[in-house]
Amino acid sequence: MTPLPLGFYQGDVEDVARALIGVTLTVEGIGGVIVETEAYDAADPASHSFAGRTARNAAMFGPVGHAYVYRIYGLHHCLNVVCGTSGSAVLIRALEPLHGLDVMQERRGSGLPIRQFCSGPGKLCSALGIDLSLNGASLLESPFALTGTPGAAPVVVGPRIGITRAAERPRRFGWKNSPWLSRPMGD
DNA sequence: GCTTTGATTTGCT
DNA sequence: GCAAATCAAAGCT
């Protein structure tokens, strides 16, 4: 389990998004295998970085390999991985819970099936304890850990979910036939 | 300074 | 399956 090298994040955001499928992400030892991501860059109207750098999305233009955490709809959090091209990032949408299941259960509420722990960006952050205090933190350092073999998992590509602009662009990546996706893929 | 948006979740009909 | 909830921040698109 060696951490992914910094150079991994410097590639094209779409390549990174695809390669992240199958990589293990943990926060303070809690987490699992990434099964769903989305790619965003500054040329994407749906991206926070589209309108240029602002105080809110500064982390998105910050150092490669760092986290961009933001609050969505006032109540939920989303975790992004800042990539090589300035203003580009990969949204982590879902993962397969493997580590710290008991802690996630406690955070998400008892009675929930495991597949409800991380099948969505907001749930994922809740289960992993991610909040704004981690905005701008390096993914190569504690409490984050990204390990595994990039690009090893079978990946399918599909349209993105839950956004209003450029939603048809095939920039959503998911683990083929994984039961942990927030929604099944097109095929 | 105020309006509008926002990549979601949850519950209700 | 559909609509409402809910908060803060960015931008005036």
Side-chain angles (χ1 to χ4, degrees):
Chain A
M1 283 302 221
T2 52
L4 299 186
L6 178 60
F8 168 76
Y9 304 100
Q10 293 171 336
D12 180 80
V13 62
E14 265 187 62
D15 294 335
V16 176
R18 184 199 311 272
L20 274 175
I21 304 297
V23 170
T24 298
L25 164 70
T26 59
V27 180
E28 290 179 332
I30 298 164
V33 177
I34 298 170
V35 296
E36 189 175 353
T37 63
E38 280 180 18
Y40 288 88
D41 62 50
D44 189 338
S47 170
H48 283 179
S49 59
F50 178 63
R53 179 175 184 161
T54 65
R56 178 199 192 181
N57 64 21
M60 206 168 176
F61 293 85
V64 169
H66 282 229
Y68 168 44
V69 180
Y70 65 94
R71 198 187 338 285
I72 187 70
Y73 297 125
L75 7 129
H76 305 293
H77 296 264
C78 291
L79 172 66
N80 298 253
V81 178
V82 179
C83 291
T85 308
S86 181
S88 66
V90 176
L91 168 68
I92 309 298
R93 285 192 52 89
L95 58 77
E96 173 184 353
L98 290 178
H99 308 287
L101 292 177
D102 49 340
V103 178
M104 293 193 218
Q105 177 97 70
E106 207 166 313
R107 285 174 176 162
R108 301 279 304 122
S110 57
L112 280 176
I114 295 180
R115 77 188 282 181
Q116 293 292 312
F117 285 6
C118 302
S119 58
K123 302 182 202 173
L124 186 154
C125 288
S126 174
L128 271 59
I130 294 169
D131 59 32
L132 290 180
S133 69
L134 293 174
N135 188 28
S138 172
L139 292 167
L140 303 176
E141 300 169 8
S142 178
F144 288 108
L146 276 158
T147 59
T149 308
V155 173
V156 290
V157 183
R160 294 183 297 186
I161 295 177
I163 58 176
T164 57
R165 308 189 79 78
E168 307 78 15
R169 296 177 72 166
R171 286 196 150 183
R172 174 175 178 239
F173 301 94
W175 188 310
K176 189 175 185 181
N177 296 330
S178 170
W180 308 104
L181 301 175
S182 59
R183 290 193 56 183
M185 281 301 184
D187 63 348

